[in-house]
Amino acid sequence: MAKPQEKVSFGQRLKQIGMVFQFTAKQDRWFAPLVAAAVLIPLALTVVAVILWSWIWLPIGILFILLAVLIVLNLRSNKAMMNAAEGQPGAAAQIMENMRGDWRVTPAVSSTTQMDMVHLVIGRPGVILLAEGNPQRVRSLLGQEKRRLSKVIGSAPLHDYVIGQDEGELPIRKLRTTLLRLPRALSGKDVNSLDKRLKALTAR
């Protein structure tokens, strides 16, 4: 079952947006100029429309300003978070845990003392293994996990990725879009059943 979404009050939502603004402004030097442009350009057009036609354009202009600022915030905050996540141990699991949809994430089902780790993800595309760390060591961990999981996943698809920037690796900034493009091979009932079997395996 998917986790129930907790209700967030309007004040909490504003606080979250403010925190995202502060974080993005620190990480992205272009964020403030782009926000200023997103405010000033629609504001100038709104003033012209009000002068030439009617006050009815004022609320419309305000809505356009808010929409433009939110678009800039969404695009630049995602980029800033991806930049901050690169090279951080456990970043792939954290991104998956914050993704929309029914994704069952088990961080670091396999790991080493050198901070190499393999995360287990279960979703509609099947079983997904995400490896972070030294490429040679994590490929060995991936092989072990694939052999272990093959005993219980049956015909469910098994996908595996090594997170990194080298050839044959998946950049963390492309993780979200890559997984969302995977074909949906399992039903919600299949995901629940697979999740129970793999939790039992992990517990053992």
Side-chain angles (χ1 to χ4, degrees), residues 6-189:
E6 296 183 0
K7 292 185 178 180
V8 180
S9 67
F10 180 72
Q12 290 174 320
R13 182 69 66 188
L14 288 179
K15 185 177 180 180
Q16 290 175 352
I17 293 175
M19 292 173 63
V20 174
F21 258 92
Q22 291 179 355
F23 170 80
T24 308
K26 290 179 181 178
Q27 296 288 330
D28 184 359
R29 63 189 180 91
W30 289 103
F31 177 65
L34 288 172
V35 169
V39 172
L40 294 176
I41 294 174
L43 179 61
L45 294 175
T46 301
V47 171
V48 171
V50 168
I51 294 173
L52 294 180
W53 292 291
S54 168
W55 284 97
I56 192 65
W57 287 96
L58 181 60
I60 297 175
I62 293 174
L63 289 177
F64 270 110
I65 292 171
L66 292 175
L67 179 60
V69 170
L70 288 176
I71 290 174
V72 171
L73 176 62
N74 182 57
L75 294 176
R76 304 305 294 190
S77 64
N78 284 336
K79 183 177 180 180
M81 283 188 280
M82 291 300 104
N83 289 338
E86 284 187 353
Q88 297 296 320
Q94 186 176 8
I95 290 173
M96 291 303 305
E97 288 175 336
N98 291 321
M99 276 181 58
R100 292 181 179 274
D102 188 10
W103 301 96
R104 321 291 176 87
V105 184
T106 306
V109 292
S110 182
S111 61
T112 69
T113 55
Q114 292 88 2
M115 298 303 291
D116 308 306
M117 58 191 72
V118 175
H119 313 297
L120 172 64
V121 180
I122 308 168
R124 297 291 297 276
V127 179
I128 304 164
L129 293 173
L130 303 175
E132 294 183 279
N134 180 277
Q136 293 181 345
R137 292 195 297 261
V138 295
R139 291 188 192 281
S140 176
L141 289 178
L142 271 178
Q144 295 173 17
E145 282 302 308
K146 289 168 72 174
R147 288 191 294 272
R148 189 171 73 99
L149 296 179
S150 64
K151 302 174 183 178
V152 295
I153 65 174
S155 59
L158 176 59
H159 310 273
D160 62 274
Y161 301 94
V162 176
I163 305 300
Q165 297 292 334
D166 295 333
E167 185 177 354
E169 299 175 353
L170 177 64
I172 198 167
R173 64 183 65 247
K174 295 183 179 180
L175 174 61
R176 191 193 309 263
T177 55
T178 298
L179 298 194
L180 290 175
R181 289 173 181 170
L182 290 174
R184 301 301 187 253
L186 303 179
S187 65
K189 184 177 179 181

